[in-house]
mmCIF file of all heavy atoms in Angstrom:
data_model
loop_
_atom_site.group_PDB
_atom_site.id
_atom_site.type_symbol
_atom_site.label_atom_id
_atom_site.label_comp_id
_atom_site.label_asym_id
_atom_site.label_seq_id
_atom_site.Cartn_x
_atom_site.Cartn_y
_atom_site.Cartn_z
ATOM 1 N N MET J 1 -91.633 -25.256 -66.106
ATOM 2 C CA MET J 1 -90.537 -25.563 -67.003
ATOM 3 C C MET J 1 -90.983 -26.292 -68.265
ATOM 4 O O MET J 1 -90.540 -25.934 -69.340
ATOM 5 C CB MET J 1 -89.479 -26.380 -66.236
ATOM 6 C CG MET J 1 -88.278 -26.751 -67.044
ATOM 7 S SD MET J 1 -87.272 -25.311 -67.332
ATOM 8 C CE MET J 1 -85.912 -26.024 -68.158
ATOM 9 N N PRO J 2 -91.862 -27.301 -68.183
ATOM 10 C CA PRO J 2 -92.269 -28.002 -69.399
ATOM 11 C C PRO J 2 -93.010 -27.103 -70.386
ATOM 12 O O PRO J 2 -92.979 -27.343 -71.570
ATOM 13 C CB PRO J 2 -93.178 -29.127 -68.912
ATOM 14 C CG PRO J 2 -92.829 -29.324 -67.485
ATOM 15 C CD PRO J 2 -92.368 -28.004 -66.989
ATOM 16 N N ARG J 3 -93.686 -26.062 -69.910
ATOM 17 C CA ARG J 3 -94.416 -25.181 -70.820
ATOM 18 C C ARG J 3 -93.472 -24.240 -71.562
ATOM 19 O O ARG J 3 -93.810 -23.722 -72.617
ATOM 20 C CB ARG J 3 -95.435 -24.371 -70.037
ATOM 21 C CG ARG J 3 -96.468 -25.247 -69.355
ATOM 22 C CD ARG J 3 -97.467 -24.432 -68.680
ATOM 23 N NE ARG J 3 -98.408 -23.995 -69.720
ATOM 24 C CZ ARG J 3 -99.558 -23.423 -69.478
ATOM 25 N NH1 ARG J 3 -99.914 -23.173 -68.242
ATOM 26 N NH2 ARG J 3 -100.354 -23.075 -70.456
ATOM 27 N N LEU J 4 -92.284 -24.029 -71.051
ATOM 28 C CA LEU J 4 -91.324 -23.131 -71.678
ATOM 29 C C LEU J 4 -90.580 -23.813 -72.828
ATOM 30 O O LEU J 4 -90.165 -23.162 -73.776
ATOM 31 C CB LEU J 4 -90.323 -22.632 -70.626
ATOM 32 C CG LEU J 4 -89.309 -21.587 -71.064
ATOM 33 C CD1 LEU J 4 -90.037 -20.344 -71.568
ATOM 34 C CD2 LEU J 4 -88.408 -21.222 -69.920
ATOM 35 N N PHE J 5 -90.458 -25.122 -72.778
ATOM 36 C CA PHE J 5 -89.691 -25.849 -73.793
ATOM 37 C C PHE J 5 -90.243 -25.682 -75.210
ATOM 38 O O PHE J 5 -89.477 -25.377 -76.117
ATOM 39 C CB PHE J 5 -89.575 -27.331 -73.427
ATOM 40 C CG PHE J 5 -88.818 -28.115 -74.445
ATOM 41 C CD1 PHE J 5 -87.452 -27.975 -74.573
ATOM 42 C CD2 PHE J 5 -89.482 -28.970 -75.306
ATOM 43 C CE1 PHE J 5 -86.753 -28.687 -75.532
ATOM 44 C CE2 PHE J 5 -88.788 -29.678 -76.265
ATOM 45 C CZ PHE J 5 -87.425 -29.536 -76.372
ATOM 46 N N PRO J 6 -91.534 -25.864 -75.463
ATOM 47 C CA PRO J 6 -92.025 -25.690 -76.845
ATOM 48 C C PRO J 6 -91.805 -24.279 -77.380
ATOM 49 O O PRO J 6 -91.466 -24.099 -78.547
ATOM 50 C CB PRO J 6 -93.519 -26.015 -76.753
ATOM 51 C CG PRO J 6 -93.657 -26.847 -75.538
ATOM 52 C CD PRO J 6 -92.592 -26.369 -74.592
ATOM 53 N N PHE J 7 -91.958 -23.282 -76.538
ATOM 54 C CA PHE J 7 -91.742 -21.905 -76.979
ATOM 55 C C PHE J 7 -90.277 -21.663 -77.327
ATOM 56 O O PHE J 7 -89.959 -21.075 -78.360
ATOM 57 C CB PHE J 7 -92.196 -20.927 -75.894
ATOM 58 C CG PHE J 7 -91.905 -19.494 -76.237
ATOM 59 C CD1 PHE J 7 -92.639 -18.852 -77.221
ATOM 60 C CD2 PHE J 7 -90.892 -18.810 -75.599
ATOM 61 C CE1 PHE J 7 -92.367 -17.531 -77.561
ATOM 62 C CE2 PHE J 7 -90.612 -17.497 -75.929
ATOM 63 C CZ PHE J 7 -91.354 -16.861 -76.905
ATOM 64 N N SER J 8 -89.372 -22.136 -76.486
ATOM 65 C CA SER J 8 -87.946 -21.915 -76.757
ATOM 66 C C SER J 8 -87.490 -22.712 -77.977
ATOM 67 O O SER J 8 -86.662 -22.237 -78.751
ATOM 68 C CB SER J 8 -87.108 -22.264 -75.531
ATOM 69 O OG SER J 8 -87.289 -23.620 -75.179
ATOM 70 N N ALA J 9 -88.030 -23.906 -78.173
ATOM 71 C CA ALA J 9 -87.681 -24.697 -79.354
ATOM 72 C C ALA J 9 -88.162 -24.000 -80.622
ATOM 73 O O ALA J 9 -87.444 -23.941 -81.625
ATOM 74 C CB ALA J 9 -88.278 -26.090 -79.242
ATOM 75 N N LEU J 10 -89.355 -23.447 -80.602
ATOM 76 C CA LEU J 10 -89.891 -22.724 -81.750
ATOM 77 C C LEU J 10 -89.061 -21.473 -82.034
ATOM 78 O O LEU J 10 -88.776 -21.155 -83.194
ATOM 79 C CB LEU J 10 -91.350 -22.345 -81.502
ATOM 80 C CG LEU J 10 -92.044 -21.579 -82.604
ATOM 81 C CD1 LEU J 10 -92.140 -22.438 -83.848
ATOM 82 C CD2 LEU J 10 -93.418 -21.140 -82.140
ATOM 83 N N LEU J 11 -88.650 -20.778 -80.996
ATOM 84 C CA LEU J 11 -87.828 -19.578 -81.160
ATOM 85 C C LEU J 11 -86.480 -19.919 -81.794
ATOM 86 O O LEU J 11 -86.035 -19.252 -82.729
ATOM 87 C CB LEU J 11 -87.624 -18.892 -79.804
ATOM 88 C CG LEU J 11 -86.781 -17.626 -79.813
ATOM 89 C CD1 LEU J 11 -87.481 -16.538 -80.616
ATOM 90 C CD2 LEU J 11 -86.517 -17.157 -78.403
ATOM 91 N N LEU J 12 -85.832 -20.970 -81.338
ATOM 92 C CA LEU J 12 -84.540 -21.369 -81.902
ATOM 93 C C LEU J 12 -84.668 -21.797 -83.362
ATOM 94 O O LEU J 12 -83.833 -21.446 -84.193
ATOM 95 C CB LEU J 12 -83.927 -22.501 -81.074
ATOM 96 C CG LEU J 12 -83.346 -22.091 -79.733
ATOM 97 C CD1 LEU J 12 -82.895 -23.317 -78.954
ATOM 98 C CD2 LEU J 12 -82.182 -21.141 -79.927
ATOM 99 N N CYS J 13 -85.707 -22.541 -83.676
ATOM 100 C CA CYS J 13 -85.911 -22.977 -85.061
ATOM 101 C C CYS J 13 -86.141 -21.794 -85.984
ATOM 102 O O CYS J 13 -85.625 -21.758 -87.103
ATOM 103 C CB CYS J 13 -87.080 -23.946 -85.147
ATOM 104 S SG CYS J 13 -86.728 -25.556 -84.438
ATOM 105 N N SER J 14 -86.880 -20.815 -85.548
ATOM 106 C CA SER J 14 -87.138 -19.660 -86.403
ATOM 107 C C SER J 14 -85.879 -18.816 -86.588
ATOM 108 O O SER J 14 -85.649 -18.276 -87.664
ATOM 109 C CB SER J 14 -88.281 -18.822 -85.839
ATOM 110 O OG SER J 14 -87.913 -18.258 -84.602
ATOM 111 N N LEU J 15 -85.049 -18.708 -85.565
ATOM 112 C CA LEU J 15 -83.813 -17.934 -85.696
ATOM 113 C C LEU J 15 -82.834 -18.604 -86.646
ATOM 114 O O LEU J 15 -82.270 -17.969 -87.533
ATOM 115 C CB LEU J 15 -83.160 -17.746 -84.324
ATOM 116 C CG LEU J 15 -83.829 -16.745 -83.394
ATOM 117 C CD1 LEU J 15 -83.137 -16.767 -82.037
ATOM 118 C CD2 LEU J 15 -83.794 -15.359 -83.983
ATOM 119 N N PHE J 16 -82.611 -19.899 -86.478
ATOM 120 C CA PHE J 16 -81.659 -20.594 -87.336
ATOM 121 C C PHE J 16 -82.191 -20.760 -88.752
ATOM 122 O O PHE J 16 -81.436 -20.743 -89.712
ATOM 123 C CB PHE J 16 -81.277 -21.950 -86.739
ATOM 124 C CG PHE J 16 -80.383 -21.835 -85.548
ATOM 125 C CD1 PHE J 16 -80.783 -22.327 -84.321
ATOM 126 C CD2 PHE J 16 -79.158 -21.228 -85.645
ATOM 127 C CE1 PHE J 16 -79.962 -22.215 -83.214
ATOM 128 C CE2 PHE J 16 -78.329 -21.110 -84.549
ATOM 129 C CZ PHE J 16 -78.733 -21.607 -83.324
ATOM 130 N N GLY J 17 -83.478 -20.907 -88.916
ATOM 131 C CA GLY J 17 -84.065 -21.028 -90.244
ATOM 132 C C GLY J 17 -83.930 -19.754 -91.046
ATOM 133 O O GLY J 17 -83.627 -19.786 -92.235
ATOM 134 N N SER J 18 -84.120 -18.611 -90.418
ATOM 135 C CA SER J 18 -84.011 -17.354 -91.146
ATOM 136 C C SER J 18 -82.567 -17.036 -91.501
ATOM 137 O O SER J 18 -82.299 -16.442 -92.536
ATOM 138 C CB SER J 18 -84.620 -16.214 -90.324
ATOM 139 O OG SER J 18 -83.886 -16.019 -89.129
ATOM 140 N N GLN J 19 -81.622 -17.443 -90.691
ATOM 141 C CA GLN J 19 -80.216 -17.202 -91.003
ATOM 142 C C GLN J 19 -79.757 -18.056 -92.176
ATOM 143 O O GLN J 19 -78.964 -17.613 -92.988
ATOM 144 C CB GLN J 19 -79.346 -17.471 -89.789
ATOM 145 C CG GLN J 19 -79.467 -16.414 -88.724
ATOM 146 C CD GLN J 19 -78.582 -16.698 -87.530
ATOM 147 O OE1 GLN J 19 -77.928 -17.725 -87.465
ATOM 148 N NE2 GLN J 19 -78.565 -15.796 -86.590
ATOM 149 N N SER J 20 -80.240 -19.277 -92.278
ATOM 150 C CA SER J 20 -79.821 -20.117 -93.389
ATOM 151 C C SER J 20 -80.405 -19.617 -94.705
ATOM 152 O O SER J 20 -79.778 -19.740 -95.749
ATOM 153 C CB SER J 20 -80.221 -21.568 -93.150
ATOM 154 O OG SER J 20 -81.619 -21.703 -93.148
ATOM 155 N N LEU J 21 -81.590 -19.033 -94.695
ATOM 156 C CA LEU J 21 -82.154 -18.468 -95.917
ATOM 157 C C LEU J 21 -81.376 -17.236 -96.359
ATOM 158 O O LEU J 21 -81.169 -17.014 -97.543
ATOM 159 C CB LEU J 21 -83.623 -18.107 -95.700
ATOM 160 C CG LEU J 21 -84.582 -19.275 -95.539
ATOM 161 C CD1 LEU J 21 -85.983 -18.759 -95.222
ATOM 162 C CD2 LEU J 21 -84.605 -20.134 -96.777
ATOM 163 N N ALA J 22 -80.922 -16.427 -95.421
ATOM 164 C CA ALA J 22 -80.150 -15.238 -95.755
ATOM 165 C C ALA J 22 -78.756 -15.603 -96.250
ATOM 166 O O ALA J 22 -78.189 -14.914 -97.089
ATOM 167 C CB ALA J 22 -80.052 -14.324 -94.546
ATOM 168 N N ALA J 23 -78.189 -16.689 -95.770
ATOM 169 C CA ALA J 23 -76.841 -17.093 -96.161
ATOM 170 C C ALA J 23 -76.804 -17.592 -97.593
ATOM 171 O O ALA J 23 -75.773 -17.505 -98.257
ATOM 172 C CB ALA J 23 -76.327 -18.169 -95.209
ATOM 173 N N ASP J 24 -77.903 -18.117 -98.104
ATOM 174 C CA ASP J 24 -77.913 -18.642 -99.460
ATOM 175 C C ASP J 24 -77.711 -17.552 -100.501
ATOM 176 O O ASP J 24 -77.115 -17.802 -101.539
ATOM 177 C CB ASP J 24 -79.231 -19.367 -99.740
ATOM 178 C CG ASP J 24 -79.343 -20.664 -98.962
ATOM 179 O OD1 ASP J 24 -78.296 -21.187 -98.550
ATOM 180 O OD2 ASP J 24 -80.468 -21.139 -98.776
ATOM 181 N N SER J 25 -78.173 -16.364 -100.258
ATOM 182 C CA SER J 25 -78.065 -15.301 -101.247
ATOM 183 C C SER J 25 -76.647 -14.727 -101.340
ATOM 184 O O SER J 25 -76.335 -14.053 -102.307
ATOM 185 C CB SER J 25 -79.055 -14.195 -100.935
ATOM 186 O OG SER J 25 -78.729 -13.580 -99.704
ATOM 187 N N ARG J 26 -75.787 -15.018 -100.379
ATOM 188 C CA ARG J 26 -74.420 -14.491 -100.436
ATOM 189 C C ARG J 26 -73.610 -15.136 -101.561
ATOM 190 O O ARG J 26 -72.674 -14.542 -102.071
ATOM 191 C CB ARG J 26 -73.682 -14.748 -99.124
ATOM 192 C CG ARG J 26 -74.206 -13.972 -97.962
ATOM 193 C CD ARG J 26 -73.347 -14.177 -96.765
ATOM 194 N NE ARG J 26 -73.325 -15.587 -96.416
ATOM 195 C CZ ARG J 26 -72.446 -16.140 -95.612
ATOM 196 N NH1 ARG J 26 -71.505 -15.414 -95.067
ATOM 197 N NH2 ARG J 26 -72.494 -17.420 -95.334
ATOM 198 N N PHE J 27 -73.960 -16.345 -101.947
ATOM 199 C CA PHE J 27 -73.157 -17.089 -102.906
ATOM 200 C C PHE J 27 -73.814 -17.181 -104.274
ATOM 201 O O PHE J 27 -73.431 -18.011 -105.091
ATOM 202 C CB PHE J 27 -72.883 -18.489 -102.358
ATOM 203 C CG PHE J 27 -72.154 -18.474 -101.048
ATOM 204 C CD1 PHE J 27 -72.799 -18.820 -99.877
ATOM 205 C CD2 PHE J 27 -70.829 -18.082 -100.974
ATOM 206 C CE1 PHE J 27 -72.137 -18.788 -98.665
ATOM 207 C CE2 PHE J 27 -70.161 -18.048 -99.776
ATOM 208 C CZ PHE J 27 -70.810 -18.399 -98.616
ATOM 209 N N ASP J 28 -74.780 -16.327 -104.556
ATOM 210 C CA ASP J 28 -75.467 -16.361 -105.841
ATOM 211 C C ASP J 28 -74.542 -16.016 -107.007
ATOM 212 O O ASP J 28 -74.659 -16.584 -108.080
ATOM 213 C CB ASP J 28 -76.651 -15.398 -105.847
ATOM 214 C CG ASP J 28 -77.824 -15.929 -105.048
ATOM 215 O OD1 ASP J 28 -77.840 -17.136 -104.753
ATOM 216 O OD2 ASP J 28 -78.718 -15.129 -104.727
ATOM 217 N N LYS J 29 -73.625 -15.096 -106.801
ATOM 218 C CA LYS J 29 -72.782 -14.619 -107.896
ATOM 219 C C LYS J 29 -71.369 -15.189 -107.873
ATOM 220 O O LYS J 29 -70.515 -14.742 -108.622
ATOM 221 C CB LYS J 29 -72.714 -13.098 -107.858
ATOM 222 C CG LYS J 29 -74.056 -12.444 -108.087
ATOM 223 C CD LYS J 29 -73.971 -10.948 -108.037
ATOM 224 C CE LYS J 29 -75.354 -10.339 -108.217
ATOM 225 N NZ LYS J 29 -75.311 -8.890 -108.116
ATOM 226 N N VAL J 30 -71.113 -16.206 -107.046
ATOM 227 C CA VAL J 30 -69.785 -16.802 -106.970
ATOM 228 C C VAL J 30 -69.601 -17.749 -108.143
ATOM 229 O O VAL J 30 -70.452 -18.581 -108.443
ATOM 230 C CB VAL J 30 -69.590 -17.554 -105.635
ATOM 231 C CG1 VAL J 30 -68.293 -18.314 -105.628
ATOM 232 C CG2 VAL J 30 -69.643 -16.580 -104.487
ATOM 233 N N ASN J 31 -68.485 -17.619 -108.816
ATOM 234 C CA ASN J 31 -68.165 -18.468 -109.946
ATOM 235 C C ASN J 31 -66.954 -19.331 -109.580
ATOM 236 O O ASN J 31 -65.895 -18.810 -109.254
ATOM 237 C CB ASN J 31 -67.855 -17.600 -111.167
ATOM 238 C CG ASN J 31 -67.692 -18.415 -112.421
ATOM 239 O OD1 ASN J 31 -68.110 -19.566 -112.481
ATOM 240 N ND2 ASN J 31 -67.083 -17.823 -113.422
ATOM 241 N N ILE J 32 -67.109 -20.650 -109.652
ATOM 242 C CA ILE J 32 -66.020 -21.575 -109.354
ATOM 243 C C ILE J 32 -65.570 -22.207 -110.663
ATOM 244 O O ILE J 32 -66.371 -22.784 -111.393
ATOM 245 C CB ILE J 32 -66.466 -22.660 -108.357
ATOM 246 C CG1 ILE J 32 -66.873 -22.003 -107.045
ATOM 247 C CG2 ILE J 32 -65.356 -23.679 -108.142
ATOM 248 C CD1 ILE J 32 -67.459 -22.940 -106.033
ATOM 249 N N THR J 33 -64.276 -22.075 -110.960
ATOM 250 C CA THR J 33 -63.736 -22.538 -112.226
ATOM 251 C C THR J 33 -62.774 -23.700 -112.000
ATOM 252 O O THR J 33 -61.787 -23.563 -111.274
ATOM 253 C CB THR J 33 -62.969 -21.391 -112.916
ATOM 254 O OG1 THR J 33 -63.818 -20.262 -112.986
ATOM 255 C CG2 THR J 33 -62.520 -21.773 -114.296
ATOM 256 N N PRO J 34 -63.030 -24.862 -112.619
ATOM 257 C CA PRO J 34 -62.081 -25.976 -112.521
ATOM 258 C C PRO J 34 -60.941 -25.788 -113.521
ATOM 259 O O PRO J 34 -61.152 -25.406 -114.665
ATOM 260 C CB PRO J 34 -62.926 -27.203 -112.866
ATOM 261 C CG PRO J 34 -64.022 -26.680 -113.725
ATOM 262 C CD PRO J 34 -64.268 -25.261 -113.281
ATOM 263 N N VAL J 35 -59.716 -26.055 -113.072
ATOM 264 C CA VAL J 35 -58.533 -25.926 -113.922
ATOM 265 C C VAL J 35 -57.777 -27.251 -113.861
ATOM 266 O O VAL J 35 -57.437 -27.732 -112.789
ATOM 267 C CB VAL J 35 -57.617 -24.779 -113.427
ATOM 268 C CG1 VAL J 35 -56.377 -24.677 -114.279
ATOM 269 C CG2 VAL J 35 -58.371 -23.469 -113.405
ATOM 270 N N LYS J 36 -57.528 -27.852 -115.022
ATOM 271 C CA LYS J 36 -56.779 -29.109 -115.082
ATOM 272 C C LYS J 36 -55.283 -28.786 -115.067
ATOM 273 O O LYS J 36 -54.762 -28.135 -115.966
ATOM 274 C CB LYS J 36 -57.152 -29.883 -116.336
ATOM 275 C CG LYS J 36 -56.534 -31.253 -116.396
ATOM 276 C CD LYS J 36 -57.072 -32.046 -117.568
ATOM 277 C CE LYS J 36 -56.494 -33.444 -117.539
ATOM 278 N NZ LYS J 36 -57.058 -34.266 -118.615
ATOM 279 N N LEU J 37 -54.596 -29.239 -114.025
ATOM 280 C CA LEU J 37 -53.166 -28.968 -113.893
ATOM 281 C C LEU J 37 -52.332 -30.055 -114.543
ATOM 282 O O LEU J 37 -51.320 -29.784 -115.178
ATOM 283 C CB LEU J 37 -52.807 -28.835 -112.412
ATOM 284 C CG LEU J 37 -53.539 -27.723 -111.652
ATOM 285 C CD1 LEU J 37 -53.187 -27.785 -110.181
ATOM 286 C CD2 LEU J 37 -53.214 -26.375 -112.241
ATOM 287 N N SER J 38 -52.718 -31.296 -114.348
ATOM 288 C CA SER J 38 -52.062 -32.438 -114.984
ATOM 289 C C SER J 38 -53.117 -33.524 -115.170
ATOM 290 O O SER J 38 -54.301 -33.285 -114.968
ATOM 291 C CB SER J 38 -50.890 -32.935 -114.135
ATOM 292 O OG SER J 38 -51.364 -33.521 -112.944
ATOM 293 N N GLU J 39 -52.674 -34.725 -115.536
ATOM 294 C CA GLU J 39 -53.632 -35.797 -115.792
ATOM 295 C C GLU J 39 -54.429 -36.181 -114.550
ATOM 296 O O GLU J 39 -55.591 -36.558 -114.642
ATOM 297 C CB GLU J 39 -52.898 -37.026 -116.326
ATOM 298 C CG GLU J 39 -53.817 -38.130 -116.762
ATOM 299 C CD GLU J 39 -53.072 -39.290 -117.383
ATOM 300 O OE1 GLU J 39 -51.913 -39.104 -117.802
ATOM 301 O OE2 GLU J 39 -53.643 -40.376 -117.429
ATOM 302 N N HIS J 40 -53.822 -36.055 -113.378
ATOM 303 C CA HIS J 40 -54.472 -36.494 -112.147
ATOM 304 C C HIS J 40 -54.632 -35.396 -111.099
ATOM 305 O O HIS J 40 -54.930 -35.691 -109.951
ATOM 306 C CB HIS J 40 -53.703 -37.668 -111.524
ATOM 307 C CG HIS J 40 -53.677 -38.878 -112.392
ATOM 308 N ND1 HIS J 40 -54.773 -39.679 -112.584
ATOM 309 C CD2 HIS J 40 -52.683 -39.416 -113.134
ATOM 310 C CE1 HIS J 40 -54.473 -40.662 -113.388
ATOM 311 N NE2 HIS J 40 -53.198 -40.526 -113.752
ATOM 312 N N SER J 41 -54.426 -34.166 -111.457
ATOM 313 C CA SER J 41 -54.601 -33.103 -110.470
ATOM 314 C C SER J 41 -55.360 -31.928 -111.077
ATOM 315 O O SER J 41 -55.149 -31.554 -112.226
ATOM 316 C CB SER J 41 -53.252 -32.632 -109.910
ATOM 317 O OG SER J 41 -52.459 -32.102 -110.937
ATOM 318 N N TYR J 42 -56.265 -31.404 -110.279
ATOM 319 C CA TYR J 42 -57.121 -30.291 -110.684
ATOM 320 C C TYR J 42 -57.100 -29.231 -109.600
ATOM 321 O O TYR J 42 -56.760 -29.495 -108.453
ATOM 322 C CB TYR J 42 -58.567 -30.766 -110.886
ATOM 323 C CG TYR J 42 -58.732 -31.743 -112.015
ATOM 324 C CD1 TYR J 42 -58.523 -33.095 -111.819
ATOM 325 C CD2 TYR J 42 -59.100 -31.306 -113.269
ATOM 326 C CE1 TYR J 42 -58.678 -34.003 -112.859
ATOM 327 C CE2 TYR J 42 -59.261 -32.208 -114.317
ATOM 328 C CZ TYR J 42 -59.044 -33.553 -114.104
ATOM 329 O OH TYR J 42 -59.203 -34.438 -115.122
ATOM 330 N N MET J 43 -57.483 -28.029 -109.978
ATOM 331 C CA MET J 43 -57.616 -26.943 -109.023
ATOM 332 C C MET J 43 -58.956 -26.263 -109.267
ATOM 333 O O MET J 43 -59.301 -25.963 -110.408
ATOM 334 C CB MET J 43 -56.489 -25.929 -109.192
ATOM 335 C CG MET J 43 -56.600 -24.735 -108.270
ATOM 336 S SD MET J 43 -55.283 -23.517 -108.493
ATOM 337 C CE MET J 43 -55.643 -22.877 -110.110
ATOM 338 N N SER J 44 -59.711 -26.061 -108.195
ATOM 339 C CA SER J 44 -60.943 -25.285 -108.276
ATOM 340 C C SER J 44 -60.642 -23.901 -107.735
ATOM 341 O O SER J 44 -60.253 -23.751 -106.578
ATOM 342 C CB SER J 44 -62.051 -25.939 -107.444
ATOM 343 O OG SER J 44 -62.396 -27.173 -107.994
ATOM 344 N N SER J 45 -60.786 -22.894 -108.575
ATOM 345 C CA SER J 45 -60.509 -21.528 -108.134
ATOM 346 C C SER J 45 -61.803 -20.734 -108.122
ATOM 347 O O SER J 45 -62.651 -20.892 -108.993
ATOM 348 C CB SER J 45 -59.481 -20.861 -109.050
ATOM 349 O OG SER J 45 -59.988 -20.780 -110.361
ATOM 350 N N GLY J 46 -61.932 -19.913 -107.102
ATOM 351 C CA GLY J 46 -63.150 -19.120 -106.959
ATOM 352 C C GLY J 46 -62.918 -17.935 -106.051
ATOM 353 O O GLY J 46 -61.785 -17.590 -105.714
ATOM 354 N N ALA J 47 -64.019 -17.332 -105.625
ATOM 355 C CA ALA J 47 -63.956 -16.154 -104.773
ATOM 356 C C ALA J 47 -63.700 -16.574 -103.336
ATOM 357 O O ALA J 47 -64.576 -16.970 -102.641
ATOM 358 C CB ALA J 47 -65.265 -15.381 -104.860
ATOM 359 N N GLY J 48 -62.521 -16.493 -102.869
ATOM 360 C CA GLY J 48 -62.232 -16.842 -101.497
ATOM 361 C C GLY J 48 -61.071 -17.791 -101.366
ATOM 362 O O GLY J 48 -60.545 -17.982 -100.284
ATOM 363 N N GLY J 49 -60.651 -18.399 -102.463
ATOM 364 C CA GLY J 49 -59.508 -19.291 -102.362
ATOM 365 C C GLY J 49 -59.523 -20.344 -103.440
ATOM 366 O O GLY J 49 -60.381 -20.392 -104.306
ATOM 367 N N ASN J 50 -58.513 -21.200 -103.387
ATOM 368 C CA ASN J 50 -58.353 -22.276 -104.352
ATOM 369 C C ASN J 50 -58.316 -23.596 -103.594
ATOM 370 O O ASN J 50 -57.857 -23.676 -102.468
ATOM 371 C CB ASN J 50 -57.055 -22.108 -105.137
ATOM 372 C CG ASN J 50 -57.017 -20.805 -105.892
ATOM 373 O OD1 ASN J 50 -58.029 -20.320 -106.362
ATOM 374 N ND2 ASN J 50 -55.844 -20.227 -106.003
ATOM 375 N N ILE J 51 -58.774 -24.648 -104.274
ATOM 376 C CA ILE J 51 -58.759 -25.990 -103.688
ATOM 377 C C ILE J 51 -58.071 -26.918 -104.679
ATOM 378 O O ILE J 51 -58.462 -26.973 -105.848
ATOM 379 C CB ILE J 51 -60.182 -26.500 -103.393
ATOM 380 C CG1 ILE J 51 -60.864 -25.599 -102.378
ATOM 381 C CG2 ILE J 51 -60.153 -27.933 -102.908
ATOM 382 C CD1 ILE J 51 -62.314 -25.942 -102.155
ATOM 383 N N GLY J 52 -57.048 -27.632 -104.239
ATOM 384 C CA GLY J 52 -56.364 -28.606 -105.067
ATOM 385 C C GLY J 52 -56.954 -29.985 -104.853
ATOM 386 O O GLY J 52 -57.268 -30.370 -103.733
ATOM 387 N N VAL J 53 -57.127 -30.733 -105.967
ATOM 388 C CA VAL J 53 -57.717 -32.069 -105.902
ATOM 389 C C VAL J 53 -56.824 -33.036 -106.663
ATOM 390 O O VAL J 53 -56.459 -32.782 -107.799
ATOM 391 C CB VAL J 53 -59.135 -32.076 -106.511
ATOM 392 C CG1 VAL J 53 -59.737 -33.467 -106.460
ATOM 393 C CG2 VAL J 53 -60.030 -31.070 -105.837
ATOM 394 N N SER J 54 -56.471 -34.137 -106.011
ATOM 395 C CA SER J 54 -55.711 -35.203 -106.656
ATOM 396 C C SER J 54 -56.665 -36.368 -106.922
ATOM 397 O O SER J 54 -57.311 -36.878 -106.025
ATOM 398 C CB SER J 54 -54.569 -35.668 -105.738
ATOM 399 O OG SER J 54 -53.883 -36.743 -106.318
ATOM 400 N N VAL J 55 -56.742 -36.785 -108.185
ATOM 401 C CA VAL J 55 -57.681 -37.836 -108.600
ATOM 402 C C VAL J 55 -56.897 -39.089 -108.969
ATOM 403 O O VAL J 55 -55.933 -39.019 -109.715
ATOM 404 C CB VAL J 55 -58.518 -37.354 -109.810
ATOM 405 C CG1 VAL J 55 -59.488 -38.433 -110.262
ATOM 406 C CG2 VAL J 55 -59.238 -36.082 -109.489
ATOM 407 N N GLY J 56 -57.354 -40.231 -108.480
ATOM 408 C CA GLY J 56 -56.748 -41.508 -108.880
ATOM 409 C C GLY J 56 -55.771 -42.038 -107.971
ATOM 410 O O GLY J 56 -55.163 -42.071 -107.133
#
């Protein structure tokens, strides 16, 4: 059992590491635009949805 642990840990690290590198390229062309709605509220609009932010 102790000899299997380093191999399985290395396998998991390589799988998760390669997925995170592939995920970065999905958002290369996404443009997020801030829109001022009022003095204290903003909206970030982009590909996938909008986020409202209240400041102050």
Side-chain angles (χ1 to χ4, degrees):
M1 181 72 176
R3 298 183 80 169
L4 185 59
F5 179 72
F7 176 72
S8 60
L10 180 64
L11 180 65
L12 285 174
C13 289
S14 65
L15 286 175
F16 287 120
S18 64
Q19 287 181 356
S20 66
L21 290 176
D24 290 339
S25 65
R26 292 186 300 164
F27 301 108
D28 285 344
K29 296 180 182 178
V30 173
N31 188 18
I32 298 174
T33 307
V35 178
K36 186 173 184 177
L37 300 175
S38 69
E39 186 176 341
H40 297 287
S41 62
Y42 295 85
M43 177 181 68
S44 294
S45 62
N50 300 326
I51 298 173
V53 179
S54 177
V55 180

